[in-house]
Amino acid sequence: MSIQFESRSLTLSVNSENGAIQGIVSEGELLTGMSEMFTLRMLEKETGEYRTFSMNDFPQFACSDNTLCYKGNREYPDWEIRCHIRTDNDALRLRTSMRNLPDSLQIDLVELPHVCVPYENEILWPFGMGCFIREPYKSKRPYHQFGFPYENF
């Protein structure tokens, strides 16, 4: 069973049991297959170490209106990740929010949606005017982070 979000040219299918992306279809062509909805990279404030969390770390899933809610993390049971989905003509807009973020963690990176693109498709990297990435190894963009500890905040 799946939950559908549709714009004029895009359809996002989400698994109703676990919240994973079942597929994104544009004008009848499957753009991505099954993948996790999100990946989070968090910074531990005290040690400066990075921790990665994925959708699988939040096993409880619910959908209400146009909001997907992930919770039930073993280490931080009150922590909730929410994905708000809005259709806007030809686009689907996804926005994330968090509730009860643990005091010991700081958000460093939110990758949502976590999309898998087949090698035969092209990726548009919105750098400057935009460019197509033709070699698969160029599909990973560099992440620029603030250093730790945060001295200039």
mmCIF file of all heavy atoms in Angstrom, residues 20-64:
data_model
loop_
_atom_site.group_PDB
_atom_site.id
_atom_site.type_symbol
_atom_site.label_atom_id
_atom_site.label_comp_id
_atom_site.label_asym_id
_atom_site.label_seq_id
_atom_site.Cartn_x
_atom_site.Cartn_y
_atom_site.Cartn_z
ATOM 1 N N ALA A 20 9.176 4.800 3.396
ATOM 2 C CA ALA A 20 10.236 4.823 2.380
ATOM 3 C C ALA A 20 9.668 5.310 1.049
ATOM 4 O O ALA A 20 8.476 5.181 0.777
ATOM 5 C CB ALA A 20 10.833 3.432 2.202
ATOM 6 N N ILE A 21 10.544 5.868 0.218
ATOM 7 C CA ILE A 21 10.128 6.283 -1.125
ATOM 8 C C ILE A 21 9.986 5.027 -1.977
ATOM 9 O O ILE A 21 10.933 4.264 -2.133
ATOM 10 C CB ILE A 21 11.167 7.224 -1.761
ATOM 11 C CG1 ILE A 21 11.281 8.516 -0.963
ATOM 12 C CG2 ILE A 21 10.813 7.521 -3.213
ATOM 13 C CD1 ILE A 21 12.386 9.436 -1.443
ATOM 14 N N GLN A 22 8.802 4.799 -2.530
ATOM 15 C CA GLN A 22 8.616 3.667 -3.432
ATOM 16 C C GLN A 22 8.970 4.050 -4.858
ATOM 17 O O GLN A 22 9.394 3.217 -5.630
ATOM 18 C CB GLN A 22 7.178 3.155 -3.365
ATOM 19 C CG GLN A 22 6.894 2.431 -2.086
ATOM 20 C CD GLN A 22 5.505 1.852 -2.054
ATOM 21 O OE1 GLN A 22 4.540 2.479 -2.485
ATOM 22 N NE2 GLN A 22 5.386 0.646 -1.542
ATOM 23 N N GLY A 23 8.769 5.304 -5.199
ATOM 24 C CA GLY A 23 9.138 5.757 -6.525
ATOM 25 C C GLY A 23 8.739 7.197 -6.756
ATOM 26 O O GLY A 23 7.829 7.722 -6.119
ATOM 27 N N ILE A 24 9.473 7.834 -7.659
ATOM 28 C CA ILE A 24 9.113 9.161 -8.144
ATOM 29 C C ILE A 24 8.956 9.024 -9.651
ATOM 30 O O ILE A 24 9.876 8.584 -10.340
ATOM 31 C CB ILE A 24 10.186 10.209 -7.806
ATOM 32 C CG1 ILE A 24 10.351 10.341 -6.288
ATOM 33 C CG2 ILE A 24 9.818 11.564 -8.415
ATOM 34 C CD1 ILE A 24 11.463 11.277 -5.857
ATOM 35 N N VAL A 25 7.784 9.372 -10.152
ATOM 36 C CA VAL A 25 7.485 9.229 -11.573
ATOM 37 C C VAL A 25 7.250 10.609 -12.169
ATOM 38 O O VAL A 25 6.533 11.425 -11.597
ATOM 39 C CB VAL A 25 6.236 8.334 -11.783
ATOM 40 C CG1 VAL A 25 5.853 8.259 -13.245
ATOM 41 C CG2 VAL A 25 6.468 6.945 -11.212
ATOM 42 N N SER A 26 7.899 10.868 -13.305
ATOM 43 C CA SER A 26 7.713 12.124 -14.027
ATOM 44 C C SER A 26 7.274 11.806 -15.438
ATOM 45 O O SER A 26 8.000 11.138 -16.175
ATOM 46 C CB SER A 26 9.020 12.914 -14.061
ATOM 47 O OG SER A 26 8.860 14.063 -14.871
ATOM 48 N N GLU A 27 6.080 12.263 -15.781
ATOM 49 C CA GLU A 27 5.526 12.072 -17.122
ATOM 50 C C GLU A 27 5.636 10.622 -17.570
ATOM 51 O O GLU A 27 6.051 10.319 -18.682
ATOM 52 C CB GLU A 27 6.201 13.017 -18.112
ATOM 53 C CG GLU A 27 5.976 14.470 -17.735
ATOM 54 C CD GLU A 27 6.764 15.445 -18.584
ATOM 55 O OE1 GLU A 27 7.515 15.012 -19.479
ATOM 56 O OE2 GLU A 27 6.613 16.650 -18.339
ATOM 57 N N GLY A 28 5.307 9.703 -16.664
ATOM 58 C CA GLY A 28 5.279 8.282 -16.977
ATOM 59 C C GLY A 28 6.598 7.561 -16.851
ATOM 60 O O GLY A 28 6.664 6.342 -16.978
ATOM 61 N N GLU A 29 7.701 8.265 -16.575
ATOM 62 C CA GLU A 29 9.015 7.628 -16.459
ATOM 63 C C GLU A 29 9.423 7.562 -14.998
ATOM 64 O O GLU A 29 9.389 8.562 -14.277
ATOM 65 C CB GLU A 29 10.060 8.422 -17.238
ATOM 66 C CG GLU A 29 11.439 7.801 -17.163
ATOM 67 C CD GLU A 29 12.511 8.628 -17.854
ATOM 68 O OE1 GLU A 29 12.190 9.656 -18.466
ATOM 69 O OE2 GLU A 29 13.675 8.242 -17.759
ATOM 70 N N LEU A 30 9.833 6.360 -14.563
ATOM 71 C CA LEU A 30 10.295 6.171 -13.196
ATOM 72 C C LEU A 30 11.656 6.821 -13.032
ATOM 73 O O LEU A 30 12.615 6.460 -13.705
ATOM 74 C CB LEU A 30 10.386 4.678 -12.858
ATOM 75 C CG LEU A 30 10.849 4.326 -11.448
ATOM 76 C CD1 LEU A 30 9.832 4.785 -10.405
ATOM 77 C CD2 LEU A 30 11.089 2.831 -11.333
ATOM 78 N N LEU A 31 11.736 7.825 -12.156
ATOM 79 C CA LEU A 31 13.003 8.527 -11.929
ATOM 80 C C LEU A 31 13.843 7.861 -10.852
ATOM 81 O O LEU A 31 15.052 7.892 -10.886
ATOM 82 C CB LEU A 31 12.744 9.980 -11.526
ATOM 83 C CG LEU A 31 12.005 10.844 -12.528
ATOM 84 C CD1 LEU A 31 11.826 12.242 -11.981
ATOM 85 C CD2 LEU A 31 12.739 10.881 -13.854
ATOM 86 N N THR A 32 13.204 7.303 -9.851
ATOM 87 C CA THR A 32 13.930 6.649 -8.769
ATOM 88 C C THR A 32 13.096 5.506 -8.222
ATOM 89 O O THR A 32 11.874 5.561 -8.211
ATOM 90 C CB THR A 32 14.281 7.642 -7.641
ATOM 91 O OG1 THR A 32 15.058 6.957 -6.657
ATOM 92 C CG2 THR A 32 13.061 8.213 -6.983
ATOM 93 N N GLY A 33 13.782 4.465 -7.801
ATOM 94 C CA GLY A 33 13.110 3.331 -7.191
ATOM 95 C C GLY A 33 13.096 3.468 -5.689
ATOM 96 O O GLY A 33 13.271 4.553 -5.140
ATOM 97 N N MET A 34 12.948 2.355 -5.023
ATOM 98 C CA MET A 34 12.838 2.326 -3.565
ATOM 99 C C MET A 34 14.080 2.908 -2.897
ATOM 100 O O MET A 34 15.196 2.551 -3.242
ATOM 101 C CB MET A 34 12.647 0.880 -3.129
ATOM 102 C CG MET A 34 12.370 0.714 -1.688
ATOM 103 S SD MET A 34 10.677 1.157 -1.354
ATOM 104 C CE MET A 34 10.412 0.236 0.134
ATOM 105 N N SER A 35 13.886 3.827 -1.979
ATOM 106 C CA SER A 35 14.996 4.366 -1.190
ATOM 107 C C SER A 35 14.461 4.942 0.115
ATOM 108 O O SER A 35 13.271 5.158 0.265
ATOM 109 C CB SER A 35 15.761 5.437 -1.969
ATOM 110 O OG SER A 35 14.959 6.552 -2.202
ATOM 111 N N GLU A 36 15.378 5.184 1.039
ATOM 112 C CA GLU A 36 14.997 5.790 2.306
ATOM 113 C C GLU A 36 14.548 7.219 2.069
ATOM 114 O O GLU A 36 14.994 7.864 1.127
ATOM 115 C CB GLU A 36 16.179 5.780 3.272
ATOM 116 C CG GLU A 36 16.596 4.397 3.708
ATOM 117 C CD GLU A 36 17.741 4.437 4.697
ATOM 118 O OE1 GLU A 36 18.450 5.459 4.771
ATOM 119 O OE2 GLU A 36 17.926 3.446 5.395
ATOM 120 N N MET A 37 13.710 7.731 2.930
ATOM 121 C CA MET A 37 13.228 9.099 2.757
ATOM 122 C C MET A 37 14.296 10.126 3.119
ATOM 123 O O MET A 37 14.415 11.154 2.473
ATOM 124 C CB MET A 37 11.977 9.326 3.607
ATOM 125 C CG MET A 37 11.412 10.722 3.504
ATOM 126 S SD MET A 37 10.943 11.237 1.844
ATOM 127 C CE MET A 37 9.332 10.507 1.705
ATOM 128 N N PHE A 38 15.097 9.855 4.154
ATOM 129 C CA PHE A 38 16.048 10.881 4.586
ATOM 130 C C PHE A 38 17.275 10.270 5.251
ATOM 131 O O PHE A 38 17.272 9.126 5.678
ATOM 132 C CB PHE A 38 15.397 11.864 5.561
ATOM 133 C CG PHE A 38 14.923 11.225 6.842
ATOM 134 C CD1 PHE A 38 15.777 11.096 7.926
ATOM 135 C CD2 PHE A 38 13.619 10.774 6.977
ATOM 136 C CE1 PHE A 38 15.340 10.518 9.106
ATOM 137 C CE2 PHE A 38 13.176 10.202 8.147
ATOM 138 C CZ PHE A 38 14.036 10.075 9.218
ATOM 139 N N THR A 39 18.309 11.091 5.311
ATOM 140 C CA THR A 39 19.521 10.815 6.075
ATOM 141 C C THR A 39 19.864 12.094 6.834
ATOM 142 O O THR A 39 19.768 13.182 6.288
ATOM 143 C CB THR A 39 20.698 10.449 5.149
ATOM 144 O OG1 THR A 39 20.339 9.296 4.399
ATOM 145 C CG2 THR A 39 21.947 10.139 5.948
ATOM 146 N N LEU A 40 20.234 11.950 8.093
ATOM 147 C CA LEU A 40 20.613 13.087 8.929
ATOM 148 C C LEU A 40 22.058 12.912 9.372
ATOM 149 O O LEU A 40 22.466 11.810 9.737
ATOM 150 C CB LEU A 40 19.753 13.154 10.196
ATOM 151 C CG LEU A 40 18.239 13.135 10.036
ATOM 152 C CD1 LEU A 40 17.592 13.011 11.404
ATOM 153 C CD2 LEU A 40 17.783 14.378 9.337
ATOM 154 N N ARG A 41 22.814 13.984 9.313
ATOM 155 C CA ARG A 41 24.140 13.968 9.923
ATOM 156 C C ARG A 41 24.103 14.995 11.043
ATOM 157 O O ARG A 41 23.842 16.170 10.813
ATOM 158 C CB ARG A 41 25.231 14.292 8.921
ATOM 159 C CG ARG A 41 26.613 14.090 9.543
ATOM 160 C CD ARG A 41 27.723 14.184 8.566
ATOM 161 N NE ARG A 41 27.775 15.541 8.043
ATOM 162 C CZ ARG A 41 28.445 15.886 6.946
ATOM 163 N NH1 ARG A 41 29.077 14.981 6.257
ATOM 164 N NH2 ARG A 41 28.467 17.128 6.547
ATOM 165 N N MET A 42 24.342 14.521 12.236
ATOM 166 C CA MET A 42 24.266 15.355 13.428
ATOM 167 C C MET A 42 25.654 15.478 14.043
ATOM 168 O O MET A 42 26.482 14.584 13.923
ATOM 169 C CB MET A 42 23.308 14.735 14.447
ATOM 170 C CG MET A 42 21.937 14.377 13.889
ATOM 171 S SD MET A 42 21.015 15.775 13.280
ATOM 172 C CE MET A 42 20.497 16.505 14.816
ATOM 173 N N LEU A 43 25.865 16.591 14.716
ATOM 174 C CA LEU A 43 27.128 16.857 15.397
ATOM 175 C C LEU A 43 26.895 16.736 16.893
ATOM 176 O O LEU A 43 25.985 17.369 17.433
ATOM 177 C CB LEU A 43 27.612 18.264 15.053
ATOM 178 C CG LEU A 43 28.946 18.691 15.619
ATOM 179 C CD1 LEU A 43 30.071 17.894 14.982
ATOM 180 C CD2 LEU A 43 29.151 20.174 15.382
ATOM 181 N N GLU A 44 27.699 15.902 17.545
ATOM 182 C CA GLU A 44 27.621 15.819 19.002
ATOM 183 C C GLU A 44 28.320 17.044 19.567
ATOM 184 O O GLU A 44 29.500 17.274 19.311
ATOM 185 C CB GLU A 44 28.282 14.543 19.508
ATOM 186 C CG GLU A 44 27.447 13.320 19.258
ATOM 187 C CD GLU A 44 27.916 12.137 20.083
ATOM 188 O OE1 GLU A 44 28.653 12.335 21.077
ATOM 189 O OE2 GLU A 44 27.535 11.025 19.721
ATOM 190 N N LYS A 45 27.577 17.849 20.306
ATOM 191 C CA LYS A 45 28.103 19.127 20.792
ATOM 192 C C LYS A 45 29.313 18.958 21.694
ATOM 193 O O LYS A 45 30.245 19.752 21.648
ATOM 194 C CB LYS A 45 27.011 19.895 21.534
ATOM 195 C CG LYS A 45 25.898 20.397 20.644
ATOM 196 C CD LYS A 45 24.858 21.126 21.472
ATOM 197 C CE LYS A 45 23.697 21.590 20.633
ATOM 198 N NZ LYS A 45 22.656 22.226 21.448
ATOM 199 N N GLU A 46 29.307 17.943 22.519
ATOM 200 C CA GLU A 46 30.370 17.805 23.503
ATOM 201 C C GLU A 46 31.680 17.293 22.901
ATOM 202 O O GLU A 46 32.759 17.753 23.256
ATOM 203 C CB GLU A 46 29.918 16.870 24.625
ATOM 204 C CG GLU A 46 30.817 16.957 25.826
ATOM 205 C CD GLU A 46 30.113 16.495 27.080
ATOM 206 O OE1 GLU A 46 28.986 16.951 27.325
ATOM 207 O OE2 GLU A 46 30.719 15.694 27.793
ATOM 208 N N THR A 47 31.595 16.347 21.963
ATOM 209 C CA THR A 47 32.809 15.718 21.424
ATOM 210 C C THR A 47 33.201 16.236 20.053
ATOM 211 O O THR A 47 34.346 16.052 19.637
ATOM 212 C CB THR A 47 32.615 14.199 21.310
ATOM 213 O OG1 THR A 47 31.577 13.929 20.368
ATOM 214 C CG2 THR A 47 32.300 13.580 22.661
ATOM 215 N N GLY A 48 32.264 16.833 19.315
ATOM 216 C CA GLY A 48 32.550 17.292 17.963
ATOM 217 C C GLY A 48 32.508 16.181 16.928
ATOM 218 O O GLY A 48 32.888 16.387 15.785
ATOM 219 N N GLU A 49 32.043 15.006 17.306
ATOM 220 C CA GLU A 49 31.971 13.874 16.386
ATOM 221 C C GLU A 49 30.642 13.884 15.646
ATOM 222 O O GLU A 49 29.619 14.333 16.171
ATOM 223 C CB GLU A 49 32.139 12.558 17.151
ATOM 224 C CG GLU A 49 33.518 12.402 17.747
ATOM 225 C CD GLU A 49 33.678 11.083 18.487
ATOM 226 O OE1 GLU A 49 32.833 10.185 18.325
ATOM 227 O OE2 GLU A 49 34.657 10.976 19.241
ATOM 228 N N TYR A 50 30.689 13.368 14.417
ATOM 229 C CA TYR A 50 29.472 13.268 13.608
ATOM 230 C C TYR A 50 28.772 11.946 13.865
ATOM 231 O O TYR A 50 29.413 10.923 14.041
ATOM 232 C CB TYR A 50 29.802 13.373 12.122
ATOM 233 C CG TYR A 50 30.241 14.741 11.707
ATOM 234 C CD1 TYR A 50 31.562 14.990 11.347
ATOM 235 C CD2 TYR A 50 29.341 15.798 11.679
ATOM 236 C CE1 TYR A 50 31.974 16.253 10.968
ATOM 237 C CE2 TYR A 50 29.748 17.062 11.305
ATOM 238 C CZ TYR A 50 31.057 17.287 10.956
ATOM 239 O OH TYR A 50 31.456 18.537 10.584
ATOM 240 N N ARG A 51 27.456 12.003 13.858
ATOM 241 C CA ARG A 51 26.622 10.799 13.940
ATOM 242 C C ARG A 51 25.634 10.846 12.796
ATOM 243 O O ARG A 51 25.073 11.894 12.504
ATOM 244 C CB ARG A 51 25.872 10.765 15.272
ATOM 245 C CG ARG A 51 26.846 10.673 16.419
ATOM 246 C CD ARG A 51 26.298 10.121 17.676
ATOM 247 N NE ARG A 51 25.432 8.990 17.530
ATOM 248 C CZ ARG A 51 24.514 8.675 18.430
ATOM 249 N NH1 ARG A 51 24.338 9.416 19.487
ATOM 250 N NH2 ARG A 51 23.761 7.616 18.269
ATOM 251 N N THR A 52 25.432 9.720 12.166
ATOM 252 C CA THR A 52 24.508 9.637 11.045
ATOM 253 C C THR A 52 23.280 8.841 11.468
ATOM 254 O O THR A 52 23.399 7.773 12.077
ATOM 255 C CB THR A 52 25.187 8.962 9.838
ATOM 256 O OG1 THR A 52 26.354 9.708 9.508
ATOM 257 C CG2 THR A 52 24.267 8.926 8.643
ATOM 258 N N PHE A 53 22.113 9.360 11.121
ATOM 259 C CA PHE A 53 20.849 8.691 11.375
ATOM 260 C C PHE A 53 20.113 8.579 10.045
ATOM 261 O O PHE A 53 20.203 9.471 9.210
ATOM 262 C CB PHE A 53 19.982 9.490 12.361
ATOM 263 C CG PHE A 53 20.573 9.627 13.730
ATOM 264 C CD1 PHE A 53 21.399 10.687 14.041
ATOM 265 C CD2 PHE A 53 20.300 8.689 14.716
ATOM 266 C CE1 PHE A 53 21.951 10.834 15.300
ATOM 267 C CE2 PHE A 53 20.845 8.823 15.985
ATOM 268 C CZ PHE A 53 21.673 9.900 16.277
ATOM 269 N N SER A 54 19.396 7.509 9.881
ATOM 270 C CA SER A 54 18.592 7.353 8.666
ATOM 271 C C SER A 54 17.156 7.054 9.068
ATOM 272 O O SER A 54 16.830 6.903 10.242
ATOM 273 C CB SER A 54 19.142 6.226 7.793
ATOM 274 O OG SER A 54 18.881 4.970 8.386
ATOM 275 N N MET A 55 16.326 6.955 8.061
ATOM 276 C CA MET A 55 14.916 6.649 8.279
ATOM 277 C C MET A 55 14.745 5.366 9.095
ATOM 278 O O MET A 55 13.844 5.264 9.923
ATOM 279 C CB MET A 55 14.239 6.509 6.914
ATOM 280 C CG MET A 55 12.786 6.228 6.954
ATOM 281 S SD MET A 55 12.214 5.708 5.342
ATOM 282 C CE MET A 55 12.573 3.976 5.441
ATOM 283 N N ASN A 56 15.642 4.393 8.898
ATOM 284 C CA ASN A 56 15.542 3.109 9.604
ATOM 285 C C ASN A 56 15.773 3.238 11.105
ATOM 286 O O ASN A 56 15.416 2.340 11.860
ATOM 287 C CB ASN A 56 16.532 2.103 9.014
ATOM 288 C CG ASN A 56 16.150 1.726 7.603
ATOM 289 O OD1 ASN A 56 14.978 1.696 7.256
ATOM 290 N ND2 ASN A 56 17.140 1.455 6.776
ATOM 291 N N ASP A 57 16.372 4.345 11.535
ATOM 292 C CA ASP A 57 16.585 4.569 12.967
ATOM 293 C C ASP A 57 15.330 5.101 13.655
ATOM 294 O O ASP A 57 15.340 5.321 14.869
ATOM 295 C CB ASP A 57 17.742 5.546 13.184
ATOM 296 C CG ASP A 57 19.063 4.971 12.706
ATOM 297 O OD1 ASP A 57 19.338 3.797 13.010
ATOM 298 O OD2 ASP A 57 19.811 5.695 12.025
ATOM 299 N N PHE A 58 14.279 5.333 12.883
ATOM 300 C CA PHE A 58 13.002 5.834 13.401
ATOM 301 C C PHE A 58 11.890 4.893 12.917
ATOM 302 O O PHE A 58 11.226 5.170 11.923
ATOM 303 C CB PHE A 58 12.752 7.268 12.909
ATOM 304 C CG PHE A 58 13.811 8.238 13.359
ATOM 305 C CD1 PHE A 58 14.987 8.399 12.638
ATOM 306 C CD2 PHE A 58 13.644 8.969 14.516
ATOM 307 C CE1 PHE A 58 15.965 9.278 13.057
ATOM 308 C CE2 PHE A 58 14.626 9.852 14.946
ATOM 309 C CZ PHE A 58 15.786 10.006 14.218
ATOM 310 N N PRO A 59 11.713 3.747 13.598
ATOM 311 C CA PRO A 59 10.827 2.695 13.080
ATOM 312 C C PRO A 59 9.326 2.986 13.122
ATOM 313 O O PRO A 59 8.561 2.317 12.431
ATOM 314 C CB PRO A 59 11.171 1.491 13.958
ATOM 315 C CG PRO A 59 11.699 2.080 15.220
ATOM 316 C CD PRO A 59 12.371 3.355 14.832
ATOM 317 N N GLN A 60 8.895 3.970 13.889
ATOM 318 C CA GLN A 60 7.461 4.274 13.951
ATOM 319 C C GLN A 60 7.138 5.333 12.903
ATOM 320 O O GLN A 60 7.724 6.419 12.903
ATOM 321 C CB GLN A 60 7.070 4.773 15.334
ATOM 322 C CG GLN A 60 7.288 3.758 16.421
ATOM 323 C CD GLN A 60 7.093 4.353 17.801
ATOM 324 O OE1 GLN A 60 6.524 5.430 17.959
ATOM 325 N NE2 GLN A 60 7.572 3.663 18.820
ATOM 326 N N PHE A 61 6.188 5.011 12.017
ATOM 327 C CA PHE A 61 5.835 5.918 10.935
ATOM 328 C C PHE A 61 4.341 6.186 10.941
ATOM 329 O O PHE A 61 3.534 5.294 11.185
ATOM 330 C CB PHE A 61 6.231 5.306 9.581
ATOM 331 C CG PHE A 61 5.698 6.080 8.409
ATOM 332 C CD1 PHE A 61 6.247 7.297 8.066
ATOM 333 C CD2 PHE A 61 4.620 5.609 7.671
ATOM 334 C CE1 PHE A 61 5.745 8.031 7.000
ATOM 335 C CE2 PHE A 61 4.120 6.327 6.603
ATOM 336 C CZ PHE A 61 4.680 7.540 6.266
ATOM 337 N N ALA A 62 3.975 7.440 10.676
ATOM 338 C CA ALA A 62 2.568 7.822 10.555
ATOM 339 C C ALA A 62 2.465 8.934 9.517
ATOM 340 O O ALA A 62 3.408 9.698 9.304
ATOM 341 C CB ALA A 62 2.024 8.302 11.897
ATOM 342 N N CYS A 63 1.305 9.008 8.870
ATOM 343 C CA CYS A 63 1.052 10.069 7.898
ATOM 344 C C CYS A 63 -0.265 10.745 8.260
ATOM 345 O O CYS A 63 -1.273 10.076 8.480
ATOM 346 C CB CYS A 63 0.975 9.492 6.485
ATOM 347 S SG CYS A 63 0.636 10.755 5.237
ATOM 348 N N SER A 64 -0.225 12.057 8.343
ATOM 349 C CA SER A 64 -1.406 12.833 8.654
ATOM 350 C C SER A 64 -1.443 14.032 7.720
ATOM 351 O O SER A 64 -0.470 14.796 7.667
ATOM 352 C CB SER A 64 -1.355 13.280 10.109
ATOM 353 O OG SER A 64 -2.352 14.229 10.376
#
